[in-house]
């Protein structure tokens, strides 16, 4: 099994999957904010993208510069096979943890 992914790492990886060829920093940030339904710091997303790339779950490439960005290039992210395995493993762990429990949970301790 791959290293255990944190919830935020899973959210970022899944945003990259959803965005496909359009997975660049700001788009990933917006997708994560939308899916988690909360504000997220841009720095948190960028640090997580860098960490996931260091773990070799993602790769990145620089696109061409655009006039809108004053000639600066966007960095695009792509899920690597190890990232696919990590997401599949994370999903399997969650499914196993929930197996045998009724949803939604009711009551408290």
């Amino acid at each position: 099994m791959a290293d255990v992914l944190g919830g935020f790492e899973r959210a970022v990886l899944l945003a990259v999957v959803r965005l496909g060829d359009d997975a660049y920093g700001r788009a990933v940030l917006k997708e994560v904010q939308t899916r988690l339904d909360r504000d997220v710091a841009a720095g948190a997303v960028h640090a997580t993208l860098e960490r996931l790339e260091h773990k070799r779950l993602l790769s990145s490439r620089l696109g061409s510069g655009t006039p809108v960005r004053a000639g600066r290039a966007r960095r695009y992210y792509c899920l690597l096979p190890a990232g696919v395995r990590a997401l599949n493993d994370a999903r399997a762990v969650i499914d196993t943890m929930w197996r045998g429990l009724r949803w939604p949970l009711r009551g408290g301790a």
Side-chain angles (χ1 to χ4, degrees):
M1 182 186 296
D3 290 337
V4 175
L5 293 174
F8 194 71
E9 289 177 322
R10 284 192 312 269
V12 169
L13 284 174
L14 289 169
V16 170
V17 170
R18 286 181 184 280
L19 291 166
D21 292 339
D22 295 323
Y24 60 92
R26 180 63 63 178
V28 172
L29 170 64
K30 289 179 181 179
E31 180 68 19
V32 169
Q33 288 178 328
T34 298
R35 296 291 172 169
L36 295 180
D37 193 25
R38 65 180 169 99
D39 286 335
V40 174
V45 169
H46 288 287
T48 301
L49 287 165
E50 188 175 311
R51 184 171 60 253
L52 293 169
E53 191 170 12
H54 180 74
K55 289 181 173 184
R56 299 183 182 195
L57 303 179
L58 291 177
S59 66
S60 70
R61 65 173 175 78
L62 287 177
S64 57
T66 62
V68 171
R69 294 178 41 83
R72 292 176 302 152
R74 286 182 173 153
R75 179 167 297 278
Y76 290 89
Y77 294 89
C78 178
L79 195 64
L80 293 174
V84 172
R85 283 190 302 275
L87 281 173
N88 284 331
D89 288 349
R91 176 65 188 255
V93 166
I94 293 295
D95 288 348
T96 298
M97 296 287 293
W98 277 99
R99 193 168 296 129
L101 295 175
R102 287 188 176 184
W103 176 256
L105 296 177
R106 301 204 187 271

